[in-house]
Amino acid sequence: MEGMPESEPGMNGMTTTLMAMNSSGTNGSSSGMNMNMNMGMSMDMPGMTMYFHDGYQEYILFQDLLTKSRGAFAGACIAVFFLGVFYELLKHAREVLQRRHGLLKSRSFHVNGTSGVDLRSVGTAMFSSLHLAQTVLHGLQILISYCLMLLFMTYNAYLCLCVILGITFGYFLVGWNRSSTEDVNEACH
């Protein structure tokens, strides 16, 4: 139809409308508006693919970490594998730290033989170096957990496999020494 914008298939099957305006404009006016519809994405960069796929051009968590070669992608896969192993080792280290200091059992504070809360004891426990270390380790564990989740959500079959294999191998290394099969430190259930 005359006067209607042309359409071309865009990334991921979406339709991108081309607003090609000549110097006089398609509607008879020259507004000078730039109707760039590619939202700042270059067509030679990989887009977000919402299904499992293979390939080596992937963004690894950040826009600047785009693997452009097979070697870079292999290096990224190795790093993701070891990130999964580190995640399991960190969970195990937190559990060992808790067991070693008897923090798995619940604490009750007593004042003069009666059940109650001694605010000095709570403050001492809350700001102890052990609790502060546990807090920092917990934050690091959550950060790594969500990074692994985002790496899996690239839906690149190789990266997904590296996440699974890394976490599984990490569990193999330390899981035999767990006090319970219940994972109270798991962030992404």
Side-chain angles (χ1 to χ4, degrees):
M1 294 175 79
E2 188 175 9
M4 295 293 289
E6 297 177 30
S7 294
E8 283 185 7
M11 295 174 67
N12 294 334
M14 294 186 292
T15 303
T16 304
T17 304
L18 299 177
M19 304 296 282
M21 301 177 90
N22 58 22
S23 60
S24 64
T26 56
N27 60 1
S29 68
S30 178
S31 65
M33 287 177 41
N34 182 3
M35 300 299 274
N36 186 358
M37 300 300 284
N38 69 0
M39 296 177 275
M41 289 189 263
S42 174
M43 291 304 200
D44 60 344
M45 298 296 210
M48 181 68 182
T49 306
M50 298 301 294
Y51 51 85
F52 287 104
H53 63 279
D54 60 358
Y56 64 90
Q57 286 191 341
E58 287 292 337
Y59 288 107
I60 309 297
L61 295 178
F62 299 99
Q63 186 175 8
D64 292 338
L65 291 178
L66 174 65
T67 56
K68 295 180 181 178
S69 67
R70 294 182 196 280
F73 185 73
C77 285
I78 292 168
V80 168
F81 174 83
F82 282 112
L83 186 64
V85 172
F86 181 69
Y87 174 70
E88 281 296 320
L89 295 175
L90 181 62
K91 287 191 329 183
H92 180 69
R94 285 189 60 217
E95 184 180 322
V96 167
L97 191 61
Q98 286 177 336
R99 267 190 288 162
R100 205 172 274 164
H101 290 84
L103 295 176
L104 288 179
K105 59 185 176 209
S106 65
R107 292 181 179 225
S108 64
F109 298 98
H110 299 283
V111 178
N112 298 332
T114 62
S115 181
V117 175
D118 180 6
L119 293 179
R120 288 176 299 186
S121 296
V122 170
T124 303
M126 185 180 216
F127 293 105
S128 70
S129 60
L130 176 65
H131 181 66
L132 292 175
Q134 280 283 8
T135 302
V136 169
L137 291 175
H138 178 73
L140 183 60
Q141 178 185 333
I142 295 296
L143 175 69
I144 292 171
S145 174
Y146 281 115
C147 286
L148 289 170
M149 178 193 67
L150 289 172
L151 286 163
F152 196 93
M153 289 178 62
T154 63
Y155 293 104
N156 183 295
Y158 301 116
L159 288 176
C160 293
L161 186 63
C162 287
V163 168
I164 292 168
L165 290 175
I167 291 172
T168 302
F169 185 69
Y171 181 83
F172 174 76
L173 292 176
V174 296
W176 62 272
N177 197 19
R178 283 238 158 99
S179 62
S180 167
T181 55
E182 181 183 339
D183 199 354
V184 296
N185 291 321
E186 188 63 45
C188 293
H189 278 257

